[in-house]
Amino acid sequence: MSDEVIERVRRIVAEQAMVEPEEIKPETTPEELGLDSLGLVEVVFGIEEAFDVAIPYNANDPSQSDFDISNFGAMAEGVRRLVAERASAT
């Protein structure tokens, strides 16, 4: 899993988690990175700003979100899909 979108998302997550990007693997969970709900919201805001997308994330009830944040790989793939959808809509 290596492309520009994935690497940018990795850097955003690493910055919030205060870890080196290389420490984040596809299976790494937010809990393993020490990200609480506020940290996840900051990650979502950072991604939205960096990619000019709207992430369907419900911070009050993440289980009701249409965006999988269970691990880094799922999160990165979700961003890749949103970026592709935005590109095809223009």
Side-chain angles (χ1 to χ4, degrees):
M1 184 189 301
S2 170
D3 67 29
E4 183 184 338
V5 170
I6 304 282
E7 292 311 311
R8 285 176 67 191
V9 173
R10 187 183 316 274
R11 286 192 303 271
I12 291 166
V13 172
E15 183 178 328
Q16 277 304 312
M18 294 185 286
V19 300
E20 292 300 317
E22 305 79 46
E23 295 179 46
I24 302 174
K25 307 294 180 219
E27 64 277 1
T28 304
T29 66
E31 293 80 19
E32 291 171 331
L33 294 170
L35 289 171
D36 60 9
S37 58
L38 179 59
L40 282 172
V41 169
E42 291 296 326
V43 166
V44 168
F45 286 157
I47 290 169
E48 288 179 332
E49 186 175 303
F51 293 97
D52 192 26
V53 296
I55 293 180
Y57 175 71
N58 182 342
N60 294 322
D61 191 357
S63 66
Q64 296 299 309
S65 294
D66 290 334
F67 191 78
D68 185 357
I69 59 162
S70 61
N71 62 51
F72 172 74
M75 192 182 313
E77 279 302 315
V79 173
R80 191 189 329 222
R81 267 193 315 279
L82 289 172
V83 169
E85 288 170 11
R86 184 188 50 131
S88 67
T90 56

